[in-house]
């Protein structure tokens, strides 16, 4: 086996599974997030250091564009079909947007962390250990 290839061991969740269910990419424990969209410092089960991964702001920027476009299209569709008052738009779209961003960020951040773990991603120019 090529040492540069990621080593997938039995019991490790796939990237999608880890992202959807907030699972540790090493042991599969449900320990990825401490609260909301904030990662835990390390896995309580296998002691994997989550702080060593650099997920960055990529998911937030991407989700802003994606969710913003989807909510705008839905709001325009509802306006053209039903002509609700402005207060009803605010009552409907503000919580929908907030929930979509929170759940979307959890999934996107979880997927990036799991993919960094699976592919052994390192900082550019860093030495291989």
């Amino acid at each position: 086996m090529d040492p540069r290839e990621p080593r997938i061991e039995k019991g490790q969740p796939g990237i999608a599974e880890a992202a959807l269910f907030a699972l540790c990419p090493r042991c599969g424990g449900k320990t990825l997030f401490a609260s909301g969209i904030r990662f835990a410092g390390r896995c309580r089960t296998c002691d994997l250091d989550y702080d060593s991964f650099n997920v960055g702001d990529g998911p937030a920027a991407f989700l802003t564009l994606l969710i913003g476009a989807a909510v705008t299209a839905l709001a325009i569709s509802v306006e053209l079909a039903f002509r609700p008052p402005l207060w009803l738009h605010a009552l409907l779209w503000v919580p929908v947007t907030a929930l979509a961003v929170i759940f979307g960020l959890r999934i996107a951040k979880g997927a990036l962390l799991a993919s960094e773990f699976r592919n052994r991603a390192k900082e550019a120019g860093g030495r291989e250990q």
Side-chain angles (χ1 to χ4, degrees):
M1 181 176 195
D2 187 354
R4 293 174 301 201
E5 289 293 315
R7 193 172 71 230
I8 301 169
E9 296 176 10
K10 189 173 182 170
Q12 288 180 335
I15 293 173
E17 186 181 8
L20 288 173
F21 302 110
L23 304 177
C24 172
R26 180 190 289 162
C27 70
K30 195 168 180 148
T31 61
L32 195 56
F33 291 99
S35 65
I37 57 173
R38 189 174 58 85
F39 285 123
R42 36 183 72 254
C43 177
R44 294 183 305 271
T45 306
C46 70
D47 208 37
L48 177 63
D49 183 15
Y50 297 141
D51 290 335
S52 67
F53 295 96
N54 182 17
V55 174
D57 294 330
F62 180 71
L63 284 171
T64 298
L65 295 172
L66 188 68
I67 292 171
V71 168
T72 301
L74 288 170
I76 290 171
S77 299
V78 167
E79 175 62 30
L80 294 175
F82 303 110
R83 302 250 185 241
L86 186 58
W87 64 267
L88 189 58
H89 274 294
L91 191 66
L92 177 64
W93 301 115
V94 169
V96 165
T97 304
L99 289 173
V101 167
I102 290 169
F103 289 116
L105 271 176
R106 280 181 64 95
I107 292 169
K109 288 175 73 172
L112 283 176
L113 189 137
S115 125
E116 280 186 24
F117 174 80
R118 169 112 359 146
N119 296 313
R120 297 181 188 166
K122 301 280 185 231
E123 288 288 328
R127 291 190 324 218
E128 187 84 17
Q129 292 183 5

